[in-house]
mmCIF file of all heavy atoms in Angstrom:
data_model
loop_
_atom_site.group_PDB
_atom_site.id
_atom_site.type_symbol
_atom_site.label_atom_id
_atom_site.label_comp_id
_atom_site.label_asym_id
_atom_site.label_seq_id
_atom_site.Cartn_x
_atom_site.Cartn_y
_atom_site.Cartn_z
ATOM 1 N N GLN O 1 -28.438 6.319 -78.019
ATOM 2 C CA GLN O 1 -29.795 6.048 -78.486
ATOM 3 C C GLN O 1 -29.914 5.948 -80.007
ATOM 4 O O GLN O 1 -30.500 5.002 -80.536
ATOM 5 C CB GLN O 1 -30.747 7.146 -77.969
ATOM 6 C CG GLN O 1 -32.201 6.950 -78.391
ATOM 7 C CD GLN O 1 -33.155 7.832 -77.617
ATOM 8 O OE1 GLN O 1 -32.828 8.302 -76.538
ATOM 9 N NE2 GLN O 1 -34.332 8.060 -78.169
ATOM 10 N N ILE O 2 -29.401 6.928 -80.741
ATOM 11 C CA ILE O 2 -29.597 6.941 -82.188
ATOM 12 C C ILE O 2 -28.863 5.782 -82.849
ATOM 13 O O ILE O 2 -29.293 5.265 -83.886
ATOM 14 C CB ILE O 2 -29.149 8.286 -82.787
ATOM 15 C CG1 ILE O 2 -29.871 9.431 -82.067
ATOM 16 C CG2 ILE O 2 -29.436 8.351 -84.286
ATOM 17 C CD1 ILE O 2 -31.386 9.350 -82.126
ATOM 18 N N SER O 3 -27.760 5.327 -82.245
ATOM 19 C CA SER O 3 -27.050 4.176 -82.808
ATOM 20 C C SER O 3 -27.881 2.906 -82.705
ATOM 21 O O SER O 3 -27.662 1.953 -83.457
ATOM 22 C CB SER O 3 -25.710 3.979 -82.093
ATOM 23 O OG SER O 3 -25.910 3.580 -80.743
ATOM 24 N N VAL O 4 -28.854 2.906 -81.804
ATOM 25 C CA VAL O 4 -29.735 1.739 -81.650
ATOM 26 C C VAL O 4 -31.014 1.917 -82.459
ATOM 27 O O VAL O 4 -31.443 1.017 -83.178
ATOM 28 C CB VAL O 4 -30.079 1.504 -80.155
ATOM 29 C CG1 VAL O 4 -30.994 0.284 -80.001
ATOM 30 C CG2 VAL O 4 -28.805 1.291 -79.346
ATOM 31 N N THR O 5 -31.632 3.090 -82.359
ATOM 32 C CA THR O 5 -32.913 3.308 -83.053
ATOM 33 C C THR O 5 -32.745 3.636 -84.529
ATOM 34 O O THR O 5 -33.684 3.476 -85.311
ATOM 35 C CB THR O 5 -33.684 4.469 -82.410
ATOM 36 O OG1 THR O 5 -32.959 5.695 -82.623
ATOM 37 C CG2 THR O 5 -33.883 4.253 -80.919
ATOM 38 N N ARG O 6 -31.559 4.104 -84.926
ATOM 39 C CA ARG O 6 -31.346 4.618 -86.285
ATOM 40 C C ARG O 6 -32.384 5.685 -86.623
ATOM 41 O O ARG O 6 -32.785 5.834 -87.760
ATOM 42 C CB ARG O 6 -31.360 3.492 -87.317
ATOM 43 C CG ARG O 6 -30.285 2.449 -87.107
ATOM 44 C CD ARG O 6 -28.904 3.060 -87.231
ATOM 45 N NE ARG O 6 -27.843 2.081 -86.995
ATOM 46 C CZ ARG O 6 -26.543 2.381 -86.928
ATOM 47 N NH1 ARG O 6 -26.160 3.639 -87.067
ATOM 48 N NH2 ARG O 6 -25.635 1.451 -86.717
ATOM 49 N N ASP O 7 -32.829 6.401 -85.596
ATOM 50 C CA ASP O 7 -33.809 7.480 -85.727
ATOM 51 C C ASP O 7 -35.127 6.995 -86.329
ATOM 52 O O ASP O 7 -35.846 7.764 -86.955
ATOM 53 C CB ASP O 7 -33.237 8.631 -86.563
ATOM 54 C CG ASP O 7 -34.049 9.918 -86.390
ATOM 55 O OD1 ASP O 7 -34.615 10.112 -85.299
ATOM 56 O OD2 ASP O 7 -34.128 10.705 -87.349
ATOM 57 N N SER O 8 -35.455 5.736 -86.112
ATOM 58 C CA SER O 8 -36.744 5.221 -86.581
ATOM 59 C C SER O 8 -37.881 5.597 -85.638
ATOM 60 O O SER O 8 -39.051 5.453 -85.984
ATOM 61 C CB SER O 8 -36.678 3.695 -86.725
ATOM 62 O OG SER O 8 -36.393 3.083 -85.473
ATOM 63 N N SER O 9 -37.523 6.068 -84.453
ATOM 64 C CA SER O 9 -38.505 6.448 -83.438
ATOM 65 C C SER O 9 -37.861 7.429 -82.483
ATOM 66 O O SER O 9 -36.635 7.462 -82.327
ATOM 67 C CB SER O 9 -38.994 5.215 -82.680
ATOM 68 O OG SER O 9 -39.787 5.589 -81.551
ATOM 69 N N ASP O 10 -38.695 8.260 -81.839
ATOM 70 C CA ASP O 10 -38.196 9.134 -80.773
ATOM 71 C C ASP O 10 -37.871 8.349 -79.504
ATOM 72 O O ASP O 10 -37.201 8.871 -78.617
ATOM 73 C CB ASP O 10 -39.247 10.194 -80.414
ATOM 74 C CG ASP O 10 -39.271 11.357 -81.396
ATOM 75 O OD1 ASP O 10 -38.446 11.372 -82.327
ATOM 76 O OD2 ASP O 10 -40.132 12.242 -81.235
ATOM 77 N N TYR O 11 -38.350 7.112 -79.427
ATOM 78 C CA TYR O 11 -38.374 6.396 -78.154
ATOM 79 C C TYR O 11 -37.443 5.187 -78.148
ATOM 80 O O TYR O 11 -37.392 4.413 -79.108
ATOM 81 C CB TYR O 11 -39.799 5.935 -77.851
ATOM 82 C CG TYR O 11 -40.799 7.061 -77.827
ATOM 83 C CD1 TYR O 11 -41.580 7.351 -78.953
ATOM 84 C CD2 TYR O 11 -40.949 7.861 -76.701
ATOM 85 C CE1 TYR O 11 -42.490 8.399 -78.937
ATOM 86 C CE2 TYR O 11 -41.861 8.905 -76.685
ATOM 87 C CZ TYR O 11 -42.625 9.180 -77.803
ATOM 88 O OH TYR O 11 -43.516 10.213 -77.790
ATOM 89 N N LEU O 12 -36.726 5.034 -77.031
ATOM 90 C CA LEU O 12 -35.906 3.847 -76.801
ATOM 91 C C LEU O 12 -36.001 3.456 -75.333
ATOM 92 O O LEU O 12 -35.768 4.281 -74.445
ATOM 93 C CB LEU O 12 -34.442 4.101 -77.169
ATOM 94 C CG LEU O 12 -33.495 2.923 -76.917
ATOM 95 C CD1 LEU O 12 -33.863 1.724 -77.797
ATOM 96 C CD2 LEU O 12 -32.034 3.324 -77.133
ATOM 97 N N TRP O 13 -36.350 2.188 -75.111
ATOM 98 C CA TRP O 13 -36.396 1.641 -73.748
ATOM 99 C C TRP O 13 -35.032 1.089 -73.361
ATOM 100 O O TRP O 13 -34.429 0.317 -74.100
ATOM 101 C CB TRP O 13 -37.430 0.521 -73.659
ATOM 102 C CG TRP O 13 -38.853 0.957 -73.702
ATOM 103 C CD1 TRP O 13 -39.689 0.956 -74.784
ATOM 104 C CD2 TRP O 13 -39.639 1.434 -72.600
ATOM 105 N NE1 TRP O 13 -40.932 1.406 -74.441
ATOM 106 C CE2 TRP O 13 -40.944 1.705 -73.099
ATOM 107 C CE3 TRP O 13 -39.376 1.653 -71.249
ATOM 108 C CZ2 TRP O 13 -41.967 2.184 -72.288
ATOM 109 C CZ3 TRP O 13 -40.401 2.144 -70.440
ATOM 110 C CH2 TRP O 13 -41.670 2.398 -70.949
ATOM 111 N N TYR O 14 -34.554 1.491 -72.175
ATOM 112 C CA TYR O 14 -33.375 0.905 -71.529
ATOM 113 C C TYR O 14 -33.899 0.130 -70.318
ATOM 114 O O TYR O 14 -34.537 0.719 -69.439
ATOM 115 C CB TYR O 14 -32.418 1.984 -71.034
ATOM 116 C CG TYR O 14 -31.715 2.789 -72.103
ATOM 117 C CD1 TYR O 14 -32.389 3.789 -72.809
ATOM 118 C CD2 TYR O 14 -30.362 2.586 -72.375
ATOM 119 C CE1 TYR O 14 -31.740 4.547 -73.764
ATOM 120 C CE2 TYR O 14 -29.705 3.349 -73.333
ATOM 121 C CZ TYR O 14 -30.392 4.327 -74.022
ATOM 122 O OH TYR O 14 -29.745 5.087 -74.965
ATOM 123 N N MET O 15 -33.627 -1.178 -70.244
ATOM 124 C CA MET O 15 -34.230 -1.995 -69.188
ATOM 125 C C MET O 15 -33.177 -2.899 -68.543
ATOM 126 O O MET O 15 -32.321 -3.471 -69.225
ATOM 127 C CB MET O 15 -35.353 -2.858 -69.789
ATOM 128 C CG MET O 15 -36.453 -2.042 -70.457
ATOM 129 S SD MET O 15 -37.519 -3.043 -71.523
ATOM 130 C CE MET O 15 -36.423 -3.419 -72.888
ATOM 131 N N THR O 16 -33.269 -3.021 -67.241
ATOM 132 C CA THR O 16 -32.380 -3.915 -66.510
ATOM 133 C C THR O 16 -33.078 -4.400 -65.242
ATOM 134 O O THR O 16 -34.105 -3.847 -64.837
ATOM 135 C CB THR O 16 -31.055 -3.210 -66.160
ATOM 136 O OG1 THR O 16 -30.083 -4.174 -65.750
ATOM 137 C CG2 THR O 16 -31.241 -2.170 -65.059
ATOM 138 N N ASP O 17 -32.522 -5.438 -64.636
ATOM 139 C CA ASP O 17 -33.060 -5.991 -63.381
ATOM 140 C C ASP O 17 -32.135 -5.658 -62.225
ATOM 141 O O ASP O 17 -30.900 -5.627 -62.385
ATOM 142 C CB ASP O 17 -33.207 -7.514 -63.478
ATOM 143 C CG ASP O 17 -34.308 -7.940 -64.448
ATOM 144 O OD1 ASP O 17 -35.147 -7.083 -64.777
ATOM 145 O OD2 ASP O 17 -34.309 -9.108 -64.863
ATOM 146 N N VAL O 18 -32.735 -5.408 -61.094
ATOM 147 C CA VAL O 18 -31.978 -5.167 -59.864
ATOM 148 C C VAL O 18 -32.519 -6.113 -58.793
ATOM 149 O O VAL O 18 -33.714 -6.087 -58.479
ATOM 150 C CB VAL O 18 -32.108 -3.706 -59.397
ATOM 151 C CG1 VAL O 18 -31.470 -3.531 -58.018
ATOM 152 C CG2 VAL O 18 -31.472 -2.772 -60.403
ATOM 153 N N THR O 19 -31.645 -6.950 -58.277
ATOM 154 C CA THR O 19 -32.040 -7.896 -57.233
ATOM 155 C C THR O 19 -31.750 -7.299 -55.862
ATOM 156 O O THR O 19 -30.639 -6.833 -55.599
ATOM 157 C CB THR O 19 -31.288 -9.228 -57.387
ATOM 158 O OG1 THR O 19 -31.575 -9.776 -58.680
ATOM 159 C CG2 THR O 19 -31.722 -10.219 -56.320
ATOM 160 N N VAL O 20 -32.776 -7.301 -55.015
ATOM 161 C CA VAL O 20 -32.659 -6.752 -53.668
ATOM 162 C C VAL O 20 -32.775 -7.892 -52.663
ATOM 163 O O VAL O 20 -33.759 -8.656 -52.678
ATOM 164 C CB VAL O 20 -33.755 -5.694 -53.406
ATOM 165 C CG1 VAL O 20 -33.750 -5.254 -51.949
ATOM 166 C CG2 VAL O 20 -33.564 -4.496 -54.331
ATOM 167 N N ALA O 21 -31.768 -8.012 -51.818
ATOM 168 C CA ALA O 21 -31.774 -9.055 -50.789
ATOM 169 C C ALA O 21 -32.816 -8.745 -49.714
ATOM 170 O O ALA O 21 -33.147 -7.576 -49.466
ATOM 171 C CB ALA O 21 -30.394 -9.189 -50.163
ATOM 172 N N SER O 22 -33.317 -9.801 -49.081
ATOM 173 C CA SER O 22 -34.381 -9.625 -48.082
ATOM 174 C C SER O 22 -33.892 -8.945 -46.812
ATOM 175 O O SER O 22 -34.697 -8.472 -46.014
ATOM 176 C CB SER O 22 -34.989 -10.990 -47.729
ATOM 177 O OG SER O 22 -33.987 -11.859 -47.237
ATOM 178 N N ASN O 23 -32.553 -8.888 -46.635
ATOM 179 C CA ASN O 23 -32.021 -8.261 -45.413
ATOM 180 C C ASN O 23 -31.562 -6.828 -45.639
ATOM 181 O O ASN O 23 -30.867 -6.253 -44.803
ATOM 182 C CB ASN O 23 -30.846 -9.091 -44.874
ATOM 183 C CG ASN O 23 -29.656 -9.125 -45.837
ATOM 184 O OD1 ASN O 23 -29.788 -8.771 -47.007
ATOM 185 N ND2 ASN O 23 -28.506 -9.582 -45.342
ATOM 186 N N GLU O 24 -31.953 -6.242 -46.767
ATOM 187 C CA GLU O 24 -31.572 -4.843 -47.007
ATOM 188 C C GLU O 24 -32.211 -3.945 -45.951
ATOM 189 O O GLU O 24 -33.404 -4.053 -45.660
ATOM 190 C CB GLU O 24 -32.025 -4.401 -48.403
ATOM 191 C CG GLU O 24 -31.150 -4.899 -49.535
ATOM 192 C CD GLU O 24 -29.801 -4.198 -49.601
ATOM 193 O OE1 GLU O 24 -29.592 -3.191 -48.876
ATOM 194 O OE2 GLU O 24 -28.942 -4.646 -50.391
ATOM 195 N N GLY O 25 -31.413 -3.057 -45.394
ATOM 196 C CA GLY O 25 -31.874 -2.198 -44.309
ATOM 197 C C GLY O 25 -33.030 -1.301 -44.694
ATOM 198 O O GLY O 25 -33.919 -1.036 -43.869
ATOM 199 N N PHE O 26 -33.068 -0.826 -45.946
ATOM 200 C CA PHE O 26 -34.121 0.110 -46.334
ATOM 201 C C PHE O 26 -35.503 -0.529 -46.327
ATOM 202 O O PHE O 26 -36.517 0.171 -46.237
ATOM 203 C CB PHE O 26 -33.817 0.736 -47.705
ATOM 204 C CG PHE O 26 -34.037 -0.185 -48.876
ATOM 205 C CD1 PHE O 26 -35.298 -0.383 -49.414
ATOM 206 C CD2 PHE O 26 -32.964 -0.857 -49.447
ATOM 207 C CE1 PHE O 26 -35.495 -1.221 -50.492
ATOM 208 C CE2 PHE O 26 -33.156 -1.701 -50.529
ATOM 209 C CZ PHE O 26 -34.422 -1.890 -51.056
ATOM 210 N N LEU O 27 -35.560 -1.875 -46.419
ATOM 211 C CA LEU O 27 -36.859 -2.548 -46.411
ATOM 212 C C LEU O 27 -37.558 -2.377 -45.063
ATOM 213 O O LEU O 27 -38.794 -2.365 -44.988
ATOM 214 C CB LEU O 27 -36.680 -4.032 -46.729
ATOM 215 C CG LEU O 27 -36.202 -4.352 -48.156
ATOM 216 C CD1 LEU O 27 -35.898 -5.849 -48.286
ATOM 217 C CD2 LEU O 27 -37.247 -3.927 -49.177
ATOM 218 N N LYS O 28 -36.762 -2.232 -44.009
ATOM 219 C CA LYS O 28 -37.332 -2.035 -42.686
ATOM 220 C C LYS O 28 -37.477 -0.551 -42.338
ATOM 221 O O LYS O 28 -38.469 -0.140 -41.722
ATOM 222 C CB LYS O 28 -36.452 -2.723 -41.633
ATOM 223 C CG LYS O 28 -36.425 -4.247 -41.752
ATOM 224 C CD LYS O 28 -35.564 -4.855 -40.654
ATOM 225 C CE LYS O 28 -35.549 -6.389 -40.753
ATOM 226 N NZ LYS O 28 -34.713 -6.997 -39.684
ATOM 227 N N SER O 29 -36.493 0.245 -42.727
ATOM 228 C CA SER O 29 -36.520 1.669 -42.370
ATOM 229 C C SER O 29 -37.479 2.472 -43.243
ATOM 230 O O SER O 29 -37.951 3.533 -42.843
ATOM 231 C CB SER O 29 -35.115 2.272 -42.491
ATOM 232 O OG SER O 29 -34.703 2.302 -43.856
ATOM 233 N N GLY O 30 -37.750 1.969 -44.453
ATOM 234 C CA GLY O 30 -38.609 2.705 -45.377
ATOM 235 C C GLY O 30 -37.904 3.857 -46.059
ATOM 236 O O GLY O 30 -38.541 4.650 -46.778
ATOM 237 N N LYS O 31 -36.595 3.976 -45.882
ATOM 238 C CA LYS O 31 -35.820 5.009 -46.554
ATOM 239 C C LYS O 31 -35.320 4.444 -47.876
ATOM 240 O O LYS O 31 -34.298 3.769 -47.937
ATOM 241 C CB LYS O 31 -34.657 5.465 -45.670
ATOM 242 C CG LYS O 31 -33.918 6.677 -46.220
ATOM 243 C CD LYS O 31 -32.831 7.155 -45.266
ATOM 244 C CE LYS O 31 -32.122 8.380 -45.814
ATOM 245 N NZ LYS O 31 -31.056 8.854 -44.894
ATOM 246 N N TRP O 32 -36.064 4.728 -48.930
ATOM 247 C CA TRP O 32 -35.823 4.069 -50.198
ATOM 248 C C TRP O 32 -34.500 4.493 -50.820
ATOM 249 O O TRP O 32 -34.043 5.634 -50.647
ATOM 250 C CB TRP O 32 -36.966 4.374 -51.174
ATOM 251 C CG TRP O 32 -38.318 4.030 -50.615
ATOM 252 C CD1 TRP O 32 -39.313 4.877 -50.270
ATOM 253 C CD2 TRP O 32 -38.799 2.718 -50.309
ATOM 254 N NE1 TRP O 32 -40.393 4.203 -49.776
ATOM 255 C CE2 TRP O 32 -40.110 2.861 -49.782
ATOM 256 C CE3 TRP O 32 -38.263 1.429 -50.424
ATOM 257 C CZ2 TRP O 32 -40.880 1.785 -49.383
ATOM 258 C CZ3 TRP O 32 -39.029 0.349 -50.028
ATOM 259 C CH2 TRP O 32 -40.316 0.524 -49.509
ATOM 260 N N PRO O 33 -33.874 3.601 -51.583
ATOM 261 C CA PRO O 33 -32.594 3.913 -52.235
ATOM 262 C C PRO O 33 -32.753 5.058 -53.244
ATOM 263 O O PRO O 33 -33.821 5.275 -53.809
ATOM 264 C CB PRO O 33 -32.216 2.610 -52.940
ATOM 265 C CG PRO O 33 -33.024 1.548 -52.281
ATOM 266 C CD PRO O 33 -34.290 2.206 -51.830
ATOM 267 N N LEU O 34 -31.645 5.747 -53.464
ATOM 268 C CA LEU O 34 -31.610 6.860 -54.410
ATOM 269 C C LEU O 34 -31.125 6.363 -55.765
ATOM 270 O O LEU O 34 -29.993 5.895 -55.891
ATOM 271 C CB LEU O 34 -30.682 7.963 -53.895
ATOM 272 C CG LEU O 34 -30.538 9.197 -54.789
ATOM 273 C CD1 LEU O 34 -31.844 9.995 -54.795
ATOM 274 C CD2 LEU O 34 -29.376 10.081 -54.320
ATOM 275 N N LEU O 35 -32.004 6.450 -56.753
ATOM 276 C CA LEU O 35 -31.637 6.078 -58.120
ATOM 277 C C LEU O 35 -31.180 7.337 -58.848
ATOM 278 O O LEU O 35 -31.909 8.325 -58.902
ATOM 279 C CB LEU O 35 -32.817 5.444 -58.850
ATOM 280 C CG LEU O 35 -32.599 5.136 -60.335
ATOM 281 C CD1 LEU O 35 -31.526 4.058 -60.516
ATOM 282 C CD2 LEU O 35 -33.905 4.717 -61.006
ATOM 283 N N THR O 36 -29.989 7.282 -59.424
ATOM 284 C CA THR O 36 -29.459 8.392 -60.209
ATOM 285 C C THR O 36 -29.179 7.907 -61.623
ATOM 286 O O THR O 36 -28.472 6.919 -61.820
ATOM 287 C CB THR O 36 -28.174 8.956 -59.585
ATOM 288 O OG1 THR O 36 -28.462 9.427 -58.262
ATOM 289 C CG2 THR O 36 -27.625 10.110 -60.423
ATOM 290 N N VAL O 37 -29.767 8.602 -62.590
ATOM 291 C CA VAL O 37 -29.595 8.269 -64.001
ATOM 292 C C VAL O 37 -29.123 9.517 -64.720
ATOM 293 O O VAL O 37 -29.809 10.536 -64.720
ATOM 294 C CB VAL O 37 -30.913 7.779 -64.638
ATOM 295 C CG1 VAL O 37 -30.695 7.434 -66.111
ATOM 296 C CG2 VAL O 37 -31.478 6.593 -63.872
ATOM 297 N N MET O 38 -27.960 9.423 -65.336
ATOM 298 C CA MET O 38 -27.444 10.552 -66.111
ATOM 299 C C MET O 38 -27.633 10.245 -67.592
ATOM 300 O O MET O 38 -27.290 9.160 -68.064
ATOM 301 C CB MET O 38 -25.973 10.805 -65.782
ATOM 302 C CG MET O 38 -25.745 11.152 -64.324
ATOM 303 S SD MET O 38 -24.075 11.718 -63.947
ATOM 304 C CE MET O 38 -24.089 13.324 -64.734
ATOM 305 N N SER O 39 -28.221 11.218 -68.311
ATOM 306 C CA SER O 39 -28.571 11.000 -69.714
ATOM 307 C C SER O 39 -28.073 12.151 -70.568
ATOM 308 O O SER O 39 -28.021 13.301 -70.118
ATOM 309 C CB SER O 39 -30.094 10.861 -69.859
ATOM 310 O OG SER O 39 -30.482 10.873 -71.213
ATOM 311 N N ALA O 40 -27.745 11.831 -71.811
ATOM 312 C CA ALA O 40 -27.359 12.863 -72.779
ATOM 313 C C ALA O 40 -28.581 13.586 -73.331
ATOM 314 O O ALA O 40 -28.456 14.508 -74.129
ATOM 315 C CB ALA O 40 -26.547 12.249 -73.910
ATOM 316 N N GLY O 41 -29.769 13.185 -72.938
ATOM 317 C CA GLY O 41 -30.995 13.888 -73.337
ATOM 318 C C GLY O 41 -31.864 13.022 -74.223
ATOM 319 O O GLY O 41 -31.479 11.918 -74.592
ATOM 320 N N HIS O 42 -33.085 13.496 -74.478
ATOM 321 C CA HIS O 42 -33.551 14.851 -74.223
ATOM 322 C C HIS O 42 -34.661 14.860 -73.174
ATOM 323 O O HIS O 42 -34.914 15.874 -72.543
ATOM 324 C CB HIS O 42 -34.040 15.499 -75.511
ATOM 325 C CG HIS O 42 -33.017 15.399 -76.607
ATOM 326 N ND1 HIS O 42 -33.333 14.972 -77.868
ATOM 327 C CD2 HIS O 42 -31.688 15.621 -76.615
ATOM 328 C CE1 HIS O 42 -32.261 14.964 -78.639
ATOM 329 N NE2 HIS O 42 -31.251 15.363 -77.900
ATOM 330 N N ALA O 43 -35.362 13.729 -73.040
ATOM 331 C CA ALA O 43 -36.374 13.573 -71.987
ATOM 332 C C ALA O 43 -36.302 12.140 -71.488
ATOM 333 O O ALA O 43 -35.855 11.233 -72.207
ATOM 334 C CB ALA O 43 -37.772 13.902 -72.508
ATOM 335 N N LEU O 44 -36.769 11.912 -70.251
ATOM 336 C CA LEU O 44 -36.627 10.587 -69.652
ATOM 337 C C LEU O 44 -37.791 10.306 -68.718
ATOM 338 O O LEU O 44 -38.178 11.160 -67.911
ATOM 339 C CB LEU O 44 -35.316 10.513 -68.862
ATOM 340 C CG LEU O 44 -34.990 9.171 -68.201
ATOM 341 C CD1 LEU O 44 -34.657 8.122 -69.256
ATOM 342 C CD2 LEU O 44 -33.817 9.334 -67.220
ATOM 343 N N HIS O 45 -38.357 9.101 -68.861
ATOM 344 C CA HIS O 45 -39.387 8.610 -67.942
ATOM 345 C C HIS O 45 -38.835 7.366 -67.248
ATOM 346 O O HIS O 45 -38.338 6.448 -67.920
ATOM 347 C CB HIS O 45 -40.661 8.255 -68.697
ATOM 348 C CG HIS O 45 -41.185 9.361 -69.555
ATOM 349 N ND1 HIS O 45 -41.810 10.475 -69.047
ATOM 350 C CD2 HIS O 45 -41.162 9.534 -70.904
ATOM 351 C CE1 HIS O 45 -42.165 11.277 -70.033
ATOM 352 N NE2 HIS O 45 -41.776 10.731 -71.169
ATOM 353 N N VAL O 46 -38.933 7.333 -65.932
ATOM 354 C CA VAL O 46 -38.367 6.231 -65.143
ATOM 355 C C VAL O 46 -39.511 5.398 -64.573
ATOM 356 O O VAL O 46 -40.388 5.924 -63.876
ATOM 357 C CB VAL O 46 -37.469 6.769 -64.010
ATOM 358 C CG1 VAL O 46 -36.960 5.626 -63.147
ATOM 359 C CG2 VAL O 46 -36.315 7.580 -64.596
ATOM 360 N N PHE O 47 -39.495 4.102 -64.879
ATOM 361 C CA PHE O 47 -40.500 3.172 -64.380
ATOM 362 C C PHE O 47 -39.828 2.132 -63.492
ATOM 363 O O PHE O 47 -38.800 1.548 -63.858
ATOM 364 C CB PHE O 47 -41.215 2.475 -65.546
ATOM 365 C CG PHE O 47 -42.063 3.389 -66.378
ATOM 366 C CD1 PHE O 47 -41.497 4.145 -67.391
ATOM 367 C CD2 PHE O 47 -43.427 3.502 -66.135
ATOM 368 C CE1 PHE O 47 -42.279 4.996 -68.162
ATOM 369 C CE2 PHE O 47 -44.208 4.360 -66.896
ATOM 370 C CZ PHE O 47 -43.629 5.107 -67.910
#
């Protein structure tokens, strides 16, 4: 984070796209996928 922000802000957005095929089983079962994000800190909001 600090290598990107140069400490100009407390906040840094990390953004990516995930494409889900229409035949994914969870779309029918309703058992949503498990997202795991490991961070060096210090706080995290997931959207």
Side-chain angles (χ1 to χ4, degrees):
Q1 181 166 339
I2 306 302
S3 68
V4 180
T5 66
R6 299 298 178 186
D7 196 31
S8 61
S9 171
D10 280 357
Y11 303 97
L12 178 64
W13 288 99
Y14 292 76
M15 301 165 289
T16 194
D17 291 343
V18 172
T19 301
V20 173
S22 58
N23 64 345
E24 283 288 351
F26 74 82
L27 293 173
K28 294 181 179 180
S29 67
K31 188 176 181 180
W32 306 112
L34 180 70
L35 174 66
T36 300
V37 180
M38 299 189 71
S39 170
H42 308 132
L44 182 69
H45 306 286
V46 176
F47 293 83

